[in-house]
Amino acid sequence: PFELCIIDDFLTLDGLKRLEVDNLIRNASSEEKSSDLFFAAEKVENPDLNSVSSALGALREELLSDRFRNIISQITSIEGLFLDDKFSGGGLHQGGPGSFLEMHADFSRHPSHRNWIRELNLLLYLNKDWKSEYGGCLDLCNSKTGKEISIEPIENRFVIMLTKGHTIHGYKKINFPENIFRTSVAGYAYTEDDGTDTTPYRSTTWHPKNNSKKFAATMLNKLVPIKQKFFG
């Protein structure tokens, strides 16, 4: 439905082994929950991959490397791509019991670097022995065409997806086994505006399918830019 690439067996078997996925999916790496509490639940975010393990630190360095930047530029035909080295909003994502993320379109420019235009989400799933009854598939919708697809979050699956105003995505409430987290590593790729790009700054906008949340989303989508203007 929109620009998308799925790469299975992304990491080498040795690289995957080094991540010690069994340990990752069973332990929360942080107490920091997503700030979008009404439209997301039980979602832990830790942008500091180095603090979790040396293996995730090594993965971070690989994702930030010129070699990897050249690879994703070749795949997407987008020149000048680079990842946010702070992994703001990204890093290790873990969904606890009942976790969900309502459908949304991501912010259009980096909150701290407004000349950085957000282009791609890079998502590495680490859900060992995932089963369909666990839920948590990445749901994608093209708001221009209405087309939808759903991607299973299986272990060692890497997703490169365009992130623009029409690329709506999220995941439904999960039903993972007790003490198992829905786990992924998320990185966001940008290009730098040379002063000619007309993309306006847009914060995350919510598009819930639940009717009871649609009104709240409409109001919040209007209020957040005002809040950010005065309070950051």
Side-chain angles (χ1 to χ4, degrees):
F2 48 85
E3 293 84 347
L4 174 71
C5 179
I6 301 171
I7 304 173
D8 286 342
D9 301 319
F10 176 71
L11 300 177
T12 64
L13 290 178
D14 179 63
L16 187 63
K17 182 179 179 181
R18 288 176 59 195
L19 286 182
E20 298 180 338
V21 172
D22 280 324
N23 183 56
L24 281 181
I25 63 178
R26 285 178 168 81
N27 297 281
S29 67
S30 170
E31 295 182 357
E32 292 295 323
K33 296 288 183 70
S34 170
S35 59
D36 303 308
L37 298 179
F38 187 66
F39 297 105
E42 298 300 324
K43 187 168 179 283
V44 176
E45 300 175 351
N46 189 345
D48 187 2
L49 295 176
N50 285 309
S51 71
V52 182
S53 71
S54 59
L56 276 177
L59 175 61
R60 173 187 180 274
E61 294 306 309
E62 177 64 22
L63 294 176
L64 294 174
S65 69
D66 288 340
R67 184 172 83 105
F68 184 70
R69 286 164 54 184
N70 289 335
I71 289 171
I72 57 174
S73 289
Q74 185 174 10
I75 289 173
T76 62
S77 297
I78 300 175
E79 297 296 328
L81 285 169
F82 61 91
L83 269 71
D84 171 18
D85 63 356
K86 303 297 185 186
F87 283 76
S88 300
L92 188 65
H93 286 184
Q94 295 174 292
S99 174
F100 65 85
L101 180 62
E102 294 284 1
M103 299 294 281
H104 65 283
D106 291 315
F107 56 83
S108 59
R109 290 176 179 255
H110 194 285
S112 302
H113 303 277
R114 293 298 174 88
N115 62 325
W116 292 8
I117 300 170
R118 189 164 173 178
E119 303 286 358
L120 304 172
N121 285 355
L122 309 172
L123 307 170
L124 173 62
Y125 290 102
L126 298 172
N127 300 302
K128 187 176 182 180
D129 301 323
W130 178 86
K131 297 178 182 179
S132 58
E133 57 263 34
Y134 295 172
C137 292
L138 173 63
D139 295 326
L140 305 175
C141 175
N142 183 326
S143 65
K144 293 180 178 179
T145 65
K147 291 183 179 179
E148 300 180 351
I149 62 171
S150 189
I151 300 172
E152 296 178 340
I154 62 175
E155 183 184 41
N156 210 11
R157 169 168 284 174
F158 191 70
V159 175
I160 302 172
M161 57 167 285
L162 189 73
T163 176
K164 297 296 177 182
H166 67 284
T167 56
I168 314 301
H169 56 285
Y171 65 88
K172 299 179 183 70
K173 187 175 181 179
I174 67 172
N175 186 36
F176 274 51
E178 188 175 356
N179 299 321
I180 298 293
F181 290 86
R182 179 189 187 274
T183 303
S184 61
V185 174
Y188 306 140
Y190 297 82
T191 54
E192 189 166 3
D193 184 4
D194 62 2
T196 63
D197 196 291
T198 58
T199 302
Y201 175 75
R202 181 193 70 249
S203 60
T204 299
T205 55
W206 298 97
H207 301 267
K209 292 189 174 182
N210 185 310
N211 287 330
S212 64
K213 288 188 176 183
K214 285 183 178 180
F215 176 75
T218 300
M219 297 303 297
L220 187 68
N221 291 340
K222 293 178 180 179
L223 291 173
V224 167
I226 298 173
K227 189 246 346 175
Q228 291 180 333
K229 180 178 180 179
F230 290 101
F231 301 104

